[in-house]
């Protein structure tokens, strides 16, 4: 365990962060929502994500400054994105401005067919809580408590925080178990009965899990 | 273009993007006032506004926008240039 180094992410970690978002969005499945919603290949989306990260705009999951990473033998092996939601300047707005700026117009138009269906699974980040948003641990390093350790690094960075929150697809059982293990409990469930949602997302049910810090 | 003409065109775009029969906009209307104004719809909305007014917003301009009034001001300033 002592071989892991924890540090804030920097611009050299962008490729890993792009992969973190892709894997976190897949949620243990093969369905990558961004490809489905915007009708782009995974490679095309990855290239756009990279450009978005390199804008270095704070306040959403495409912000390098919101990530802590774990290094093992000089290689980044895990990352968690987290922030405290700013009610005046919500992460959803910053994210959609970035996406809208970089995505091709035809992809944005294509997304309008997904909008109505996917909106049922939107959960607002609880204001004041530290929201863990993108979580990824390389397969070889799972089971080493890295989610808990990286979360603690985020807590250190956000002194005074009393509540943690994370959103997870209901069918991602390993992730739910991992969050339960470190003290998260389900606080909200949203579900869509529209079968079309599975054309865009890896599941039709999502949980908001919360944890109170001592 | 006059402000009331811009608002009229924006109301049509907003109604179409948010799937509503009609929407009344004021300068103080913001995302919090319209339930359907989520992140995906925001992106579609901005894209439709850019197409309708034949302009392109800068990322910084988009991030500063808080209310419909900011959007109107931006459209006016970009239409003049």
């Amino acid at each position: 365990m002592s071989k892991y180094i924890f540090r804030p992410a920097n611009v050299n970690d962008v490729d890993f962060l792009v992969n973190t978002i892709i894997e976190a969005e897949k949620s243990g499945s093969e369905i990558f929502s961004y490809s489905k919603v915007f009708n782009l290949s995974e490679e095309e989306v990855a290239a756009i994500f990279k450009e978005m990260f390199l804008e270095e705009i704070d306040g959403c999951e495409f912000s390098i400054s919101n990530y802590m990473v774990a290094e093992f033998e000089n290689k980044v092996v895990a990352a968690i994105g987290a922030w405290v939601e700013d009610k005046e300047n919500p992460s959803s707005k910053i994210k959609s401005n970035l996406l809208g700026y970089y995505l091709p117009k035809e992809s944005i138009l294509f997304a309008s067919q997904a909008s109505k269906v996917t909106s049922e699974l939107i959960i607002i980040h609880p204001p004041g809580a530290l929201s863990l948003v993108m979580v990824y641990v390389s397969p070889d390093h799972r089971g080493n408590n890295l989610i808990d350790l990286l979360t603690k690094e985020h807590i250190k960075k956000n002194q005074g925080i009393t509540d943690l929150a994370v959103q997870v697809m209901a069918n991602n059982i390993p992730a739910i178990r991992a969050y339960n293990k470190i003290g998260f409990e389900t606080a909200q469930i949203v579900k869509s009965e529209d079968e079309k949602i599975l054309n865009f997302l890896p599941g039709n049910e999502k949980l908001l899990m919360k944890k109170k810090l001592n | 273009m006059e402000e009331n003409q811009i608002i009229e065109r924006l109301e049509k775009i907003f109604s179409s993007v948010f799937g509503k029969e009609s929407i009344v906009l004021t300068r103080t209307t913001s995302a919090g006032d319209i339930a359907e104004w989520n992140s995906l719809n925001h992106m579609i909305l901005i894209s439709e506004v850019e197409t309708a007014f034949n302009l392109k917003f800068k990322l910084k301009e988009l991030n500063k926008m808080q209310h419909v009034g900011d959007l109107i001001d931006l459209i006016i300033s970009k239409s003049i240039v």
Side-chain angles (χ1 to χ4, degrees):
Chain A
M1 193 65 58
S2 59
K3 287 178 182 170
Y4 289 105
I5 293 169
F6 302 98
R7 60 165 175 82
N10 63 47
V11 75
N12 299 317
D13 303 319
V14 164
D15 287 333
F16 192 87
L17 300 183
V18 167
N19 193 48
T20 292
I21 295 186
I22 292 172
E23 293 302 327
E25 284 289 332
K26 283 182 178 173
S27 194
S29 75
E30 283 307 308
I31 296 174
F32 178 39
S33 58
Y34 281 89
S35 283
K36 299 287 183 188
V37 169
F38 295 111
N39 197 28
L40 293 168
S41 69
E42 193 172 309
E43 291 72 24
E44 287 170 321
V45 176
I48 290 168
F49 281 2
K50 192 168 179 173
E51 285 188 88
M52 290 162 61
F53 268 115
L54 293 173
E55 277 283 348
E56 298 197 56
I57 287 179
D58 293 335
C60 73
E61 57 264 56
F62 297 102
S63 311
I64 297 170
S65 59
N66 283 338
Y67 284 83
M68 296 296 298
V69 297
E71 256 186 39
F72 180 80
E73 294 177 351
N74 296 320
K75 198 177 161 209
V76 177
V77 296
I80 294 187
W83 65 82
V84 180
E85 186 76 355
D86 179 354
K87 241 182 147 184
E88 299 305 311
N89 202 17
S91 57
S92 57
K93 189 189 97 177
I94 301 168
K95 177 178 83 170
S96 50
N97 283 339
L98 265 169
L99 281 166
Y101 190 76
Y102 279 105
L103 283 165
K105 283 267 183 211
E106 55 271 25
S107 292
I108 296 172
L109 285 178
F110 187 87
S112 56
Q113 58 181 289
S115 173
K116 218 174 181 176
V117 189
T118 57
S119 65
E120 288 187 75
L121 288 201
I122 292 175
I123 300 177
I124 304 293
H125 296 299
L130 179 66
S131 291
L132 309 182
V133 177
M134 292 291 159
V135 178
Y136 177 65
V137 179
S138 302
D140 291 350
H141 295 269
R142 289 177 190 164
N144 292 344
N145 210 24
L146 290 179
I147 293 178
D148 195 26
L149 294 168
L150 278 168
T151 301
K152 283 176 178 154
E153 293 295 324
H154 274 293
I155 294 168
K156 267 192 234 165
K157 197 175 138 188
N158 290 276
Q159 295 281 325
I161 281 298
T162 56
D163 296 276
L164 300 180
V166 67
Q167 297 181 25
V168 59
M169 298 305 286
N171 55 2
N172 192 350
I173 305 298
I176 293 170
R177 279 200 194 118
Y179 294 127
N180 277 329
K181 203 176 148 190
I182 58 173
F184 280 85
E185 287 176 5
T186 302
Q188 186 186 348
I189 302 173
V190 288
K191 190 174 180 177
S192 169
E193 299 297 343
D194 190 336
E195 287 173 8
K196 289 198 286 290
I197 200 158
L198 299 174
N199 294 334
F200 303 108
L201 300 179
N204 68 338
E205 193 174 344
K206 195 159 81 169
L207 313 181
L208 172 68
M209 301 181 79
K210 286 185 176 176
K211 177 184 174 177
K212 202 124 194 111
L213 296 173
N214 296 324
Chain B
M1 190 180 291
E2 296 293 324
E3 183 161 327
N4 58 351
Q5 290 175 293
I6 294 174
I7 291 182
E8 220 170 274
R9 283 179 78 178
L10 286 177
E11 284 176 338
K12 281 184 188 155
I13 297 167
F14 275 58
S15 304
S16 158
V17 171
F18 297 141
K20 289 185 165 277
E21 255 180 49
S22 67
I23 285 182
V24 178
L25 296 174
T26 68
R27 289 188 67 86
T28 57
T29 306
S30 67
D33 300 317
I34 300 172
E36 293 80 3
W37 197 337
N38 57 41
S39 53
L40 197 46
N41 277 341
H42 177 76
M43 200 186 314
I44 297 163
L45 180 72
I46 295 298
S47 172
E48 293 290 343
V49 170
E50 286 181 335
T51 304
F53 290 91
N54 193 28
L55 46 84
K56 174 83 182 159
F57 298 119
K58 290 179 185 161
L59 195 49
K60 274 183 189 168
E61 294 168 337
L62 292 171
N63 285 336
K64 276 185 195 160
M65 229 183 269
Q66 298 283 348
H67 303 101
V68 167
D70 301 324
L71 179 59
I72 294 166
D73 293 341
L74 214 45
I75 292 169
I76 291 171
S77 70
K78 286 190 170 279
S79 305
I80 291 166
V81 176

